[in-house]
Amino acid sequence: MPKHLRSYALLFQSLFILPMAQANEWDWVPRESLSEAQQATLSQYCRGAYVDSWQVIDGDNTHLLADMIYRDEQGTLFMDGAATLRQPLSQLDADSIKGVPGEYYQAKGDVSLRAEGQIIRSDNAYISSMDGNQTAQFDNAKFLSHKSRIRGEAGEISRTRDGLIFIKEGFYTTCEPGENSWQLYGSSIELNPDSGFGTAKHVQIRIHDIPVFYFPWLRFPLDTRRQSGFLFPSFGISGKSFTLSAPYYLNLAPEYDATITPNLVLPIGEADRDDKDQNGQGIDIELRHLSRYGETQFEQSTFYDENGDEATLRKFTTDQRLTDSFGVGAYLEDNPTENRVPEANNTSIQEEDHYERRGYARYNLGNFSSNVQVRRFQTPDPAEDKPLEWLPRVSASYRYADTQYSYRPDIEFTDFFEPDKEGQDGQRAVLNQDFNARFGNEWGEITAGMLHQYRDYQLHDYDNDQNNRASVNHLSYYLDTSVVFERRFNGNWRQTLEPQMSYLYAPYEEQSDIPDFDANEMEMTYGQAFSHRRFSGNDRIGDTEQVALGLESRIYDDNNVNRWTLQGGQVFYLKDRKVGIDGNTGEVVDDSTHSAVLTTAAYNGDNFTLANHFNYDFDENRVDLAQSALKYTPDSGFVFNLSFSYLYDDNEDDMTKQSSFGTIIPINDNWHFFHQQSYDWVDREQTAQVEGFGYENCCIKTTFSYQRWRDNDGLFDEGVFIQFILRSLSGVGRTNSDIDTIADDYWNQGKVGY
């Protein structure tokens, strides 16, 4: 709201500048009468636009026009019958005008004042143009600002000689003529352009002439200067409680500010009053500081239930770029209240098993980059295993590449600390070097390379209270080849066909003494088939001798847009693999002679996209991976989303088998129905359900939905969510931050900017 109320100031700062053009017109032009360029600036929901026909006239003269014009002996000017007083920057029209030039003008009957981008109409007007006593007053006034689309009515509009503007019994809106989806009404509104703020008494927000919010007093900014004051509240209603939050913004200094948000949670129903840990009150605090180097932010959310028990979360972030090459930062999360979290929270802090605390410094220059980082965690639940900490991690990398050769060295040193003092921790030094040479032209290429991986560990075993050292020095070799064929068809459509082959030889190296600090096995996909490493992280070095074969085809339309991508391939293993993620190495961990067949098919249309990944193991007659995602969004506003994900695991409980369906269906030009349901086929239960309605026109957008979902603890919750935005004013309501829903898709789609 505040940033748009400033348009009052822009409208009324020039109340003395008398306007031009047709005084009895609001300059509204229907969409079909606008030019193509003007229509392109409109939302799909807007029926037209205000087109300012004002034109500044040359010269400094004042022009008079009326059925009768005369001046009496005292110098008073009388204009009767279709009177017009035109000046270079303004024009005043009325049934009659009288006044003394250079002192005042008084207009009666169908008064219209126009200036560039502004219209004011009233029954009567008095304008004083004396130096040092410039005032203006309009009775039963209507006003319009073309650029901001603000229009409204007021019982009286006046302006004092010191620039203060008073509006009595008035409202404003940005809705189109004849449409009052929302209005801001005030019994008394005072605007001060010099200080940059305004105040209003007995303020109402009206939706279709129905008051939905009331503020006894409201202070708001008129321009880009920040002002302290209340922001619009948010509220939420679930099956358990009613939540209300009322933020207050503090403009403390040009470089820092604060937002304080009191929260109140009240039970709904007598049964929920016994659940006192969910009812109570709290306060959220956000502090921000912006320097020439970067931004710093502190957030805290505290909540007290009806028993007086406290739950608090805190977060501090800073990122400072001290020079073009050097920067420092910190990220600190904290939960000091024994694994309790606030029931109401308007900050960016979320409930976590482990709260991260890290500080870092970075230095980058050209192709060289480096980073020093310390990372620790707070784990409120003592039953949870604490993550490994970095005390510290130092890394550096360099990239060199030309048209034929590439060299990429990476070094890293990490001091791992095990907070639980179980198993192993210690220091790890890493050196990775990737060197390759490329030979090729437009239709094909061959790349031969070598990957050097060195690890050195200084370890401590807490179980045996022993120190030991381990190291591994490994060389692997690869050869990548590809050939590109191309044909044209159907005019300028183009298809490529690219056979690929990659040979990778990574000999076995004993790694039984190497711990698993950060190694992970990568999911086998078409892209991973041509990777030169089996594991992510810097611990395990995968052994293999393999050949990957693939065939990729892309189809481009006559605008060179990639419409289809088709990929298929398979990895053939020439040796058994003896290195797994953990445990001793040397024993065969994978003796398969080839991978599953890896396929990808993707289509990119103007309003239709489809992506599929499908891996099939012919030896086991088994699908290893199946992922599909379809999205259809025609211009009609209809949306259809469908996705399915399946990932095989030997342990059936660890399988992934989920589907999701969501749709947005237009009912008419303004109303939409949306629905979503997600299902877990392993647990055989629905994990999310959403139904709701959305309404949108040129000045308002709102959604009403019922949502039921499964949280991270496997428990179900449900609620009714209401959200609406008043264009050029503000937004009110509450969304569900626990899940991604089709309601969010509806809320964020469309061409109306808020």
Side-chain angles (χ1 to χ4, degrees):
M1 175 187 70
K3 73 173 184 178
H4 299 289
L5 280 174
R6 74 173 69 106
S7 299
Y8 274 118
L10 300 175
L11 177 64
F12 294 108
Q13 285 179 27
S14 56
L15 281 179
F16 308 143
I17 302 175
L18 299 173
M20 178 186 173
Q22 297 84 7
N24 60 345
E25 297 292 338
W26 282 114
D27 295 343
W28 176 258
V29 179
R31 176 188 283 266
E32 56 271 17
S33 299
L34 295 171
S35 67
E36 292 186 4
Q38 291 171 324
Q39 292 185 28
T41 64
L42 294 179
S43 157
Q44 58 182 324
Y45 298 101
C46 293
R47 298 173 298 173
Y50 299 104
V51 178
D52 186 12
S53 57
W54 165 258
Q55 292 181 354
V56 177
I57 61 175
D58 296 331
D60 297 328
N61 296 328
T62 298
H63 301 272
L64 307 179
L65 180 66
D67 293 341
M68 182 176 63
I69 303 174
Y70 67 93
R71 188 189 300 266
D72 64 13
E73 295 179 354
Q74 287 75 32
T76 302
L77 177 68
F78 293 88
M79 306 170 61
D80 291 322
T84 297
L85 192 155
R86 181 182 300 173
Q87 293 180 336
L89 298 178
S90 62
Q91 179 173 308
L92 178 65
D93 296 277
D95 291 340
S96 65
I97 301 174
K98 83 170 185 177
V100 177
E103 294 185 9
Y104 74 91
Y105 291 101
Q106 185 174 357
K108 293 184 178 180
D110 197 16
V111 179
S112 174
L113 176 67
R114 289 183 62 97
E116 185 175 4
Q118 307 169 10
I119 305 176
I120 302 175
R121 295 196 294 178
S122 67
D123 294 341
N124 302 292
Y126 178 86
I127 300 174
S128 172
S129 56
M130 294 181 60
D131 292 339
N133 187 30
Q134 296 179 332
T135 59
Q137 180 174 318
F138 298 83
D139 299 325
N140 295 323
K142 297 180 180 180
F143 49 87
L144 167 70
S145 175
H146 295 77
K147 185 175 182 180
S148 63
R149 299 175 65 98
I150 286 179
R151 63 175 179 86
E153 300 180 11
E156 179 182 310
I157 300 174
S158 61
R159 186 185 193 278
T160 66
R161 63 181 181 181
D162 54 2
L164 293 178
I165 299 167
F166 295 93
I167 300 173
K168 294 183 179 179
E169 300 296 335
F171 75 86
Y172 93 93
T173 183
T174 59
C175 296
E176 298 175 317
E179 173 66 49
N180 289 324
S181 294
W182 71 265
Q183 297 174 338
L184 184 144
Y185 169 84
S187 64
S188 175
I189 302 174
E190 176 184 324
L191 308 174
N192 189 335
D194 291 336
S195 64
F197 70 88
T199 58
K201 296 179 181 178
H202 301 293
V203 180
Q204 296 178 8
I205 303 297
R206 296 176 175 177
I207 305 296
H208 287 291
D209 298 323
I210 300 175
V212 295
F213 283 100
Y214 171 78
F215 304 93
W217 181 85
L218 190 66
R219 186 173 186 264
F220 47 86
L222 301 176
D223 51 33
T224 56
R225 288 174 287 183
R226 298 179 305 175
Q227 300 289 339
S228 300
F230 280 102
L231 306 177
F232 269 94
S234 66
F235 64 90
I237 301 174
S238 70
K240 301 176 182 178
S241 60
F242 171 81
T243 304
L244 176 65
S245 301
Y248 186 85
Y249 175 77
L250 286 167
N251 179 33
L252 302 175
E255 66 274 10
Y256 56 91
D257 59 14
T259 303
I260 301 174
T261 307
N263 299 310
L264 180 65
V265 180
L266 300 175
I268 296 179
E270 294 296 328
D272 291 318
R273 293 186 179 274
D274 297 330
D275 199 359
K276 297 183 181 298
D277 62 339
Q278 296 183 351
N279 308 315
Q281 58 278 329
I283 189 167
D284 298 336
I285 299 173
E286 180 190 53
L287 303 173
R288 299 187 305 172
H289 179 265
L290 183 64
S291 71
R292 64 189 182 98
Y293 300 112
E295 184 174 344
T296 300
Q297 182 174 353
F298 172 78
E299 297 175 276
Q300 177 172 306
S301 178
T302 299
F303 187 81
Y304 295 92
D305 63 25
E306 292 186 6
N307 294 320
D309 294 329
E310 176 188 349
T312 293
L313 291 175
R314 294 189 290 243
K315 181 179 177 181
F316 173 84
T317 59
T318 184
D319 189 80
Q320 307 294 320
R321 187 173 180 177
L322 304 180
T323 69
D324 290 342
S325 301
F326 181 68
V328 296
Y331 182 95
L332 307 172
E333 297 176 325
D334 183 49
N335 180 344
T337 49
E338 293 296 326
N339 210 31
R340 293 173 55 87
V341 295
E343 180 65 22
N345 185 343
N346 291 274
T347 69
S348 66
I349 316 171
Q350 302 295 324
E351 180 182 359
E352 304 283 352
D353 291 333
H354 311 287
Y355 294 91
E356 186 177 359
R357 299 158 175 190
R358 55 185 166 90
Y360 56 89
R362 61 183 181 274
Y363 179 80
N364 302 318
L365 183 62
N367 294 333
F368 174 80
S369 62
S370 61
N371 186 283
V372 178
Q373 186 171 174
V374 174
R375 187 179 72 172
R376 309 196 70 175
F377 294 90
Q378 181 211 10
T379 304
D381 187 350
E384 289 281 344
D385 292 334
K386 298 179 176 61
L388 280 171
E389 299 177 347
W390 302 344
L391 304 176
R393 167 169 286 183
V394 182
S395 61
S397 63
Y398 180 77
R399 298 291 182 265
Y400 169 81
D402 59 20
T403 57
Q404 187 170 359
Y405 299 104
S406 172
Y407 176 57
R408 295 180 296 172
D410 298 293
I411 61 173
E412 180 187 278
F413 172 82
T414 307
D415 188 352
F416 292 101
F417 174 67
E418 171 55 70
D420 294 322
K421 295 188 175 180
E422 297 177 352
Q424 288 183 317
D425 64 11
Q427 300 173 346
R428 182 187 70 190
V430 173
L431 171 62
N432 293 322
Q433 300 181 88
D434 191 346
F435 173 81
N436 63 61
R438 175 187 175 273
F439 307 92
N441 51 32
E442 294 181 354
W443 56 266
E445 66 176 41
I446 298 176
T447 301
M450 177 180 66
L451 177 62
H452 174 225
Q453 299 176 83
Y454 174 77
R455 313 285 185 264
D456 183 78
Y457 294 83
Q458 300 284 344
L459 301 172
H460 178 74
D461 191 324
Y462 288 98
D463 298 334
N464 302 321
D465 193 23
Q466 291 181 350
N467 296 322
N468 57 79
R469 181 175 181 178
S471 64
V472 58
N473 193 27
H474 188 273
L475 283 175
S476 56
Y477 310 89
Y478 59 87
L479 180 69
D480 300 333
T481 65
S482 64
V483 180
V484 179
F485 300 96
E486 182 177 306
R487 74 180 182 98
R488 293 189 179 273
F489 66 101
N490 195 23
N492 288 324
W493 282 62
R494 181 167 57 94
Q495 181 184 11
T496 64
L497 188 65
E498 184 176 353
Q500 300 181 67
M501 186 197 75
S502 177
Y503 171 76
L504 173 63
Y505 175 59
Y508 168 75
E509 191 81 28
E510 170 64 29
Q511 299 171 53
S512 299
D513 295 334
I514 302 298
D516 173 20
F517 290 143
D518 57 14
N520 287 289
E521 191 164 6
M522 291 185 279
E523 183 178 300
M524 180 57 70
T525 61
Y526 181 85
Q528 175 60 26
F530 297 91
S531 173
H532 304 137
R533 299 177 62 176
R534 283 179 53 207
F535 304 115
S536 64
N538 279 318
D539 285 316
R540 294 295 192 178
I541 299 175
D543 63 315
T544 186
E545 184 175 6
Q546 64 185 49
V547 174
L549 299 178
L551 184 64
E552 178 176 320
S553 179
R554 296 178 183 268
I555 299 176
Y556 300 84
D557 66 12
D558 49 11
N559 292 319
N560 203 35
V561 176
N562 183 195
R563 294 301 189 182
W564 281 97
T565 300
L566 305 172
Q567 297 172 326
Q570 192 172 18
V571 180
F572 296 90
Y573 301 106
L574 308 181
K575 287 186 178 181
D576 296 339
R577 275 73 64 211
K578 300 180 180 179
V579 178
I581 284 291
D582 50 23
N584 294 331
T585 63
E587 299 294 332
V588 174
V589 297
D590 188 349
D591 60 358
S592 57
T593 58
H594 50 261
S595 71
V597 175
L598 315 170
T599 66
T600 298
Y603 174 75
N604 177 32
D606 294 331
N607 49 34
F608 178 86
T609 60
L610 175 65
N612 294 282
H613 301 278
F614 187 82
N615 297 351
Y616 190 82
D617 189 331
F618 283 94
D619 291 340
E620 300 291 338
N621 292 324
R622 180 186 70 209
V623 176
D624 284 351
L625 179 145
Q627 295 175 336
S628 295
L630 180 150
K631 187 168 186 177
Y632 178 54
T633 54
D635 294 336
S636 62
F638 176 81
V639 174
F640 181 89
N641 294 335
L642 182 64
S643 65
F644 177 80
S645 180
Y646 171 84
L647 185 62
Y648 176 80
D649 195 281
D650 291 333
N651 186 346
E652 186 175 347
D653 294 335
D654 293 333
M655 276 189 180
T656 298
K657 194 176 183 181
Q658 299 173 341
S659 63
S660 180
F661 163 74
T663 185
I664 302 173
I665 302 175
I667 300 175
N668 56 32
D669 290 341
N670 302 103
W671 282 95
H672 290 74
F673 169 77
F674 50 83
H675 169 79
Q676 175 182 329
Q677 60 184 37
S678 301
Y679 192 82
D680 190 320
W681 294 88
V682 175
D683 295 337
R684 298 187 180 277
E685 63 181 6
Q686 189 167 266
T687 58
Q689 176 186 352
V690 178
E691 280 92 21
F693 290 91
Y695 175 84
E696 182 171 5
N697 62 24
C698 195
C699 66
I700 192 171
K701 185 168 186 174
T702 182
T703 60
F704 177 87
S705 64
Y706 165 78
Q707 301 180 25
R708 183 177 184 270
W709 68 96
R710 184 175 66 181
D711 61 22
N712 294 332
D713 297 325
L715 304 177
F716 282 88
D717 200 355
E718 60 183 354
V720 174
F721 294 85
I722 303 173
Q723 187 177 19
F724 58 88
I725 282 183
L726 314 179
R727 189 170 187 264
S728 298
L729 185 63
S730 186
V732 183
R734 195 173 184 90
T735 59
N736 187 358
S737 60
D738 295 318
I739 57 172
D740 295 326
T741 70
I742 196 71
D744 301 326
D745 291 346
Y746 169 78
W747 191 252
N748 294 316
Q749 78 171 11
K751 299 178 181 178
V752 176
Y754 296 98

